Amino acid sequence: MDTDSTQRLTGYAHGGGCACKIPPGELEDAVRALEGQNHSDVLVGLDDGDDAAAVRIQNDLAVLSTADFFTPVVDSAYDWGRIAAANALSDIYAMGGTPVVAINLVGWPRGVLPMELMTEVLRGGLDVGQQAGCPVIGGHSIDDPEPKYGMAVTGTARPDRLLRNDAAEPGLPITLTKPIGVGLLNNRHKQTGEVFESAIDVMTQLNRDAARAAVDAGLKAATDVTGFGLLGHLFKMVRASGINAVLDSSAVPLVDGAAEALRDGFVSGGTRRNLDWVRPNLDADAGVTEDHLLTLADAQTSGGLLVIGELPGHPVIGETVAARSPEEAGRIRIR
């Protein structure tokens, strides 16, 4: 059972998917005064805004923990559940881990939307959890005027094989494992009702295989591309690692239909906020237009992995470079 034309799930949300995140600059201001836990077994904590927390529980075993939820990104309840689950699991994959168990997080406007639709959302999450080999067991729900769905996921990884956003080194290729542009298509879907199977296919694709390939190749640095856009997540990575990057805009793959959605003006407010936040750290070559920048800042939902190093079968979109000084780290040249 999915919504009909008079009851569109996206119409109950002020934003859609990861584009409804608190803007990155505001979020950093809010948590700046908070300090991470000073504990010898905390391998990855709050400091660099990585994808999941990592805590060592044995010499060869770390537990990963994350939570991710958002408002409807598509009108199909089942597909929304699938997308949200793939997105939550992605945080574990982005750390080089294996998801072990997930629990549901649900906000639902009972009395406004039928409970049968919530069942379809949960069924979508269960199906993706089964695909990932990760049991989805229970969870928590609240009566909420705006529908929300996601998961808290626990995973495991070897401490010496973690993928981190502060471990990027200069002189390496930058690989992207999924095309970008789903934010543009999701915004078009929200405003027009048009369905874009290309975007749904990208958002429901697990990052499992790419993560395993990166770990098996001995790579050390990765993150997933979600609400802060490709530029925002790359900026966070190079800033945390004390390096810079060069991005080849022509090498970045786009989801089918994204270029037309950009042409027709379906740019979300979240994307514009992403670009405003990262713009002071950009050096754009002549010929790089505002449209190029908006595309690279497009707020993704359940995007691919941004990996420092080369993964066969996935496009290389740039390279990392050394910063001349710590004060000059965190810059991105776009050509």
Side-chain angles (χ1 to χ4, degrees), residues 169-230:
E169 298 178 350
L172 293 173
I174 301 171
T175 299
L176 181 65
T177 67
K178 288 186 187 181
I180 66 170
V182 297
L184 288 157
L185 294 177
N186 289 341
N187 195 30
R188 186 166 200 154
H189 172 67
K190 179 177 173 62
Q191 295 190 42
T192 69
E194 298 173 80
V195 176
F196 298 95
E197 293 296 336
S198 58
I200 293 172
D201 289 345
V202 167
M203 291 186 288
T204 55
Q205 177 187 344
L206 293 175
N207 283 323
R208 174 185 56 196
D209 293 345
R212 287 177 179 170
V215 171
D216 289 345
L219 305 184
K220 299 297 183 183
T223 190
D224 61 348
V225 180
T226 56
F228 301 155
L230 173 60

Side-chain angles (χ1 to χ4, degrees), residues 243-321:
I243 62 172
N244 293 329
V246 177
L247 189 63
D248 185 353
S249 60
S250 65
V252 177
L254 297 182
V255 180
D256 290 344
E260 291 76 15
L262 174 69
R263 177 200 63 201
D264 295 338
F266 292 98
V267 179
S268 70
T271 292
R272 296 188 187 278
R273 290 189 292 270
N274 287 342
L275 183 54
D276 288 343
W277 177 60
V278 76
R279 194 189 296 271
N281 302 282
L282 304 180
D283 300 300
D285 286 4
V288 175
T289 67
E290 187 72 4
D291 278 354
H292 287 131
L293 298 179
L294 285 168
T295 302
L296 296 173
D298 186 45
Q300 303 302 285
T301 296
S302 191
L305 298 185
L306 188 62
V307 181
I308 306 305
E310 188 167 358
L311 287 182
H314 300 286
V316 170
I317 62 169
E319 61 186 354
T320 56
V321 295

